[in-house]
Amino acid sequence: MPLSPMTYPDGHVGWRAHDHASVRAVLADDRFSIRPDLMHNPFGPGSPGDAPPSPPGAFTDHDPPEHTRYRSRLTGQFTVRRMRLLAERLEVITAAHLDELAAVGSPADLVEHFAVPVPGLMICELLGVPYERRAEFQQDAMVLTGGSGAEAGEAEAMFAAFGRLQRFMLEMVVAKRARATDDVLSDLVNADHDLSDDEMAAMGMALLGGGLDTTTNMLSLGALELMREPARVEAMLADPAAAVEELLRYISLTPATVRTALEDVEVGGVVVRKGDTVFVELASANRDPARYADPDVLDLARGAAGHLAFGHGVHQCIGQHLARIELKIAFPGLFTRFPRLRLAVPEDELPRRASLVIGGLERMPVAWD
């Protein structure tokens, strides 16, 4: 059965999509909404209307035509030229942080000294954050994306960091109108469009939220998988592009997303009624045996064409090409510099993040010869 009934915490009987074909079908159909204010929350109490509408500009939580209006202004910013320049900067940033890791000495925390700062600096490059403001920007960004929000103090810290980042992004929008630099935010601000400053600041926040935490956790969890067997490192170094695609499929860092039917929709013979919420399981789709042979085996030569780690349809991750560049440079750089990299503690002692949405490691002590 392509869709299975699912009872949500508020009592709503909706659906879960879990095989590759049905997940693609739901994500590709604009009759399914991504808006948080329309959904039944699969993670805890929450019904339609409980969550406020997403602010203008937060394009990842809007449906077409609003989503189209915002995303179309950004799509042209991820040019071949810009990706080439960012790749060149990433080579420099990666080398510098590998030097820092070596200077700290074995053992050292791979999350603190590599997996966090490298993607953080790439987001700074993408948005054009001034060098003198990057430390505070990165600190607030990691507070915002690094916790589960389960504890009261943690939630307060996240809200405070979110407010500071909002103000900072709005300051950058104003500053780049007066003095543009070579970055996505400058190009967006100075283009011919009808977007308000608040909308552009929210778009910058969406890029930040989508590109920082995900890549940080892919670097740490991907390194963990590679360290399990020396043959995996050899396979990755032989073909980084294929290895990265398989790691993305196998780890499926964002395991699920949610959609709500705007009208009655048939998916694989099942009718989803208007107002029904569908829990869309990306991780399950990426392990679908009908799509991938031996799906629970990490085969770095597989290539993993068609995986859904970046989603599918109009909401497919806009920064996926940059993420791939980061991983294809960072993993070979790390294991070329430290070919005997290994965990410095038993794996069951690695502290895992408590997030319900994006998993990862709080710390990852590693050692090398």
Side-chain angles (χ1 to χ4, degrees), residues 197-252:
D197 287 0
D198 286 338
E199 287 176 310
M200 289 185 285
M203 293 166 74
M205 289 289 288
L207 290 174
L208 166 67
L212 179 59
D213 207 27
T214 48
T215 311
T216 288
N217 290 318
M218 268 305 302
L219 284 176
S220 59
L221 294 175
L224 179 62
E225 292 297 338
L226 293 170
M227 284 189 291
R228 294 186 194 280
E229 300 174 15
R232 290 180 176 180
V233 174
E234 295 174 8
M236 180 275 296
L237 292 174
D239 190 347
V244 163
E245 295 306 313
E246 174 67 351
L247 285 167
L248 287 164
R249 178 200 72 84
Y250 185 80
I251 294 172
S252 292

Side-chain angles (χ1 to χ4, degrees), residues 34-117:
I34 199 172
R35 286 171 50 185
D37 58 306
L38 297 182
M39 78 176 189
H40 296 267
N41 186 357
F43 301 116
S47 301
D50 290 350
S54 295
F59 64 94
T60 54
D61 287 337
H62 283 277
D63 297 330
E66 293 88 353
H67 173 267
T68 308
R69 173 174 172 257
Y70 296 131
R71 181 160 173 145
S72 64
R73 304 295 193 274
L74 288 170
T75 301
Q77 306 297 333
F78 289 82
T79 62
V80 172
R81 169 188 166 275
R82 176 156 284 133
M83 293 302 102
R84 177 177 56 79
L85 292 175
L86 288 172
E88 292 172 359
R89 284 294 300 145
L90 182 60
E91 295 275 8
V92 174
I93 289 168
T94 298
H97 283 84
L98 292 174
D99 288 344
E100 178 183 320
L101 192 63
V104 171
S106 175
D109 183 1
L110 190 72
V111 173
E112 177 184 357
H113 297 289
F114 189 71
V116 165

Side-chain angles (χ1 to χ4, degrees), residues 6-212:
M6 173 178 169
T7 301
Y8 288 72
D10 66 353
H12 170 68
V13 179
W15 302 92
R16 55 184 288 262
H18 45 87
D19 68 88
H20 194 275
S22 63
V23 166
R24 278 178 56 100
V26 172
L27 295 181
D29 195 325
D30 61 10
R31 292 174 295 177
F32 286 100
S33 172
I34 199 172
R35 286 171 50 185
D37 58 306
L38 297 182
M39 78 176 189
H40 296 267
N41 186 357
F43 301 116
S47 301
D50 290 350
S54 295
F59 64 94
T60 54
D61 287 337
H62 283 277
D63 297 330
E66 293 88 353
H67 173 267
T68 308
R69 173 174 172 257
Y70 296 131
R71 181 160 173 145
S72 64
R73 304 295 193 274
L74 288 170
T75 301
Q77 306 297 333
F78 289 82
T79 62
V80 172
R81 169 188 166 275
R82 176 156 284 133
M83 293 302 102
R84 177 177 56 79
L85 292 175
L86 288 172
E88 292 172 359
R89 284 294 300 145
L90 182 60
E91 295 275 8
V92 174
I93 289 168
T94 298
H97 283 84
L98 292 174
D99 288 344
E100 178 183 320
L101 192 63
V104 171
S106 175
D109 183 1
L110 190 72
V111 173
E112 177 184 357
H113 297 289
F114 189 71
V116 165
V118 170
L121 286 172
M122 287 311 298
I123 288 292
C124 289
E125 294 282 340
L126 183 73
L127 296 176
V129 177
Y131 285 97
E132 66 274 11
R133 302 290 301 275
R134 290 188 175 187
E136 63 177 287
F137 177 85
Q138 284 187 279
Q139 182 177 359
D140 277 337
M142 290 313 300
V143 169
L144 179 62
T145 60
S148 65
E151 301 295 332
E154 185 179 73
E156 291 172 5
M158 292 173 69
F159 280 121
F162 182 78
R164 287 192 297 269
L165 283 169
Q166 277 188 315
R167 292 189 293 274
F168 178 65
M169 203 70 70
L170 191 56
E171 289 173 13
M172 284 215 300
V173 166
V174 175
K176 289 179 182 300
R177 182 174 292 111
R179 186 174 181 273
T181 49
D182 189 3
D183 55 76
V184 165
L185 197 56
S186 287
D187 288 356
L188 178 65
V189 167
N190 292 287
D192 183 17
H193 54 62
D194 59 350
L195 299 175
S196 69
D197 287 0
D198 286 338
E199 287 176 310
M200 289 185 285
M203 293 166 74
M205 289 289 288
L207 290 174
L208 166 67
L212 179 59

Side-chain angles (χ1 to χ4, degrees), residues 317-340:
C317 176
I318 195 170
Q320 62 179 292
H321 300 305
L322 179 58
R324 286 185 167 99
I325 290 170
E326 292 185 57
L327 298 173
K328 286 189 290 187
I329 290 174
F331 284 137
L334 176 64
F335 285 95
T336 299
R337 182 69 177 273
F338 302 105
R340 298 180 184 276

